[in-house]
Structure formats: C-alpha cells, structure tokens
Amino acid sequence: SQTIHQWPATLVQPVGSPLSLECTVEGTSNPNLYWYRQAAGRGLQLLFYSVGIGQISSEVPQNLSASRPQDRQFILSSKKLLLSDSGFYLCAWSNLDSGNTIYFGEGSWLTVV
Amino acid sequence: GQNIDQPTEMTATEGAIVQINCTYQTSGFNGLFWYQQHAGEAPTFLSYNVLDGLEEKGRFSSFLSRSKGYSYLLLKELQMKDSASYLCATPSGAAGNKLTFGGGTRVLVKP
C-alpha cells in the first residue's frame, strides 16, 4: 500500500532564516506530487505541483521554491522566511491508480517568529 | 477557472443529520471530491462523485448534480468524532490532476 511521509512535523523559525520541508512517497511510482499551504482558519492553497523528476509548476508567486530530485521525493524550500510564510504545509500525491484522488501527508506546522 | 462555495460553519446535535452544500463553477468537469479534516490534522479522502446521483458509504453520502453545479455531503447519525471541517474540491488543470478546494465547512457536533 502507498504511504506518504513528511517532516519535520513542527518547526519554529526566525524571520530571514532558511526552510526545508521534505516529503517522500512509498508504494507507488511516477506519482504527481503537490505542496499545499493552509493558513490559520483558511482554505487549502496549492503552491507547487510536479508530474515528474525536475518538473515543477509554481501555482502562486511567493517566497518559496520546490524541487523533485527523485521520483518519490519532493522538497519545499525558502532562502529567507517571512512572517507570512507561517502556516500548515501539506505534501500530497496522486496517480492514475488513485483515480487522481489526492492523498495527503501528515502536514508540517511552520511558525515564523 | 474554479469557484467553489460552501457554508463556513454548521452546528448539529449528536445523532442528528447534517447536510453540507457545495456549489461550484468550473471550466471543465472531472468530478467532485469531499475530504474531512479534523483540527490540526491533514485532510482525509471521503468521496468522489463523477456522475449525477447519490453515493452512499455507511453514515456518509454524497450527492452530485452536474447540471446545477451542486453537490452535498450528508452525515447521518452524527457522532462527536464527526466534528471537523469538510472540504469540497474539484479537479483543475489541463489533465485534471490538481485539486482546487473550497474554504471548508466546520461542523460542530453537540451532545
């Protein structure tokens, strides 16, 4: 069965510091991978979307970047965090076998102080 | 593009029924998803409707009318653990493999 894992689960970072969130998927190949963000009390916003290694689509202009160095690995990064980057970050996957249903990782809580 | 509307909050009593409505406008239709999200946790998949009609899964049912751009999630025999946000979502993008979410409906179940 497929599993998705992201880390770290929580982190508190000062403004201007870098960020790296990592996500891996097991039990499936060639997945579509996603990074979503959910600000406090808000809906889910798609940040990045990837259909394959090295293929990244940015959905909204922002202070973040994403990379996919391996088929089942997706990384969210920032060189300098802003206060507005605080939120709940969710990695997710889908593929043809899932019927394009998207399945989420456990999420990472980021607080920028 | 996508435009998805659902109520912000609903309150219901344990054992009762609650219906969460979702209206959407999409440039192309590839189904309608419902997710459940407990506070502080990731969303979990509940249902996917691609054809008109009602689909039942235990205490939860989901209905779709494509001509009206309307769906609802029906929660029966409410339990305290059903207190959560319920997110309506539609596929987007050229391949329909991205999801655009509504703002979510927070359901509070009271004893």
Side-chain angles (χ1 to χ4, degrees), chain B residues 69-109:
Chain B
Y70 167 68
S71 173
Y72 68 72
L73 181 69
L74 194 69
L75 284 60
K76 296 180 281 189
E77 301 169 21
L78 279 171
Q79 301 176 9
M80 299 299 290
K81 67 178 182 179
D82 297 330
S83 291
S85 287
Y86 292 85
L87 312 175
C88 169
T90 60
S92 57
N97 50 8
K98 296 185 282 186
L99 280 187
T100 298
F101 286 84
T105 299
R106 194 169 71 165
V107 172
L108 177 61
V109 180

Side-chain angles (χ1 to χ4, degrees), chain A residues 22-24 31 33 50 52-54 67-75:
Chain A
E22 194 163 336
C23 170
T24 59
L33 296 174
S50 172
I53 296 174
S67 62
R68 185 169 177 174
Q70 300 180 47
D71 182 47
R72 290 172 289 180
Q73 184 185 26
F74 206 22
I75 298 170

Side-chain angles (χ1 to χ4, degrees), chain B residues 61-76:
Chain B
S61 303
S62 54
F63 172 84
L64 177 67
S65 170
R66 288 173 294 172
S67 62
K68 294 182 180 178
Y70 167 68
S71 173
Y72 68 72
L73 181 69
L74 194 69
L75 284 60
K76 296 180 281 189

Side-chain angles (χ1 to χ4, degrees), chain A residues 32 34 36 38 44 46 49 59 88 90 100-102 104-105 109, chain B residues 33 35 37 40-43 45 87 95-99 101 103:
Chain A
N32 300 314
Y34 312 83
Y36 281 86
Q38 189 172 38
L44 285 165
L46 180 62
Y49 161 62
E59 297 295 307
F88 190 39
L90 290 152
N100 284 329
T101 298
I102 288 180
F104 290 90
W109 285 99
Chain B
F33 290 83
Y35 283 76
Q37 185 178 24
E41 298 181 8
F45 169 73
L87 312 175
N97 50 8
K98 296 185 282 186
L99 280 187
F101 286 84

Side-chain angles (χ1 to χ4, degrees), chain A residues 29-84:
Chain A
S29 57
N30 302 316
N32 300 314
L33 296 174
Y34 312 83
W35 279 110
Y36 281 86
R37 176 172 61 199
Q38 189 172 38
R42 306 283 292 276
L44 285 165
Q45 180 185 38
L46 180 62
L47 301 177
F48 297 98
Y49 161 62
S50 172
V51 297
I53 296 174
Q55 300 178 63
I56 310 292
S57 295
S58 175
E59 297 295 307
V60 293
Q62 63 205 301
N63 183 42
L64 302 167
S65 62
S67 62
R68 185 169 177 174
Q70 300 180 47
D71 182 47
R72 290 172 289 180
Q73 184 185 26
F74 206 22
I75 298 170
L76 183 69
S77 304
S78 174
K79 292 182 179 178
K80 288 186 177 182
L81 284 168
L82 306 172
L83 286 174
S84 58

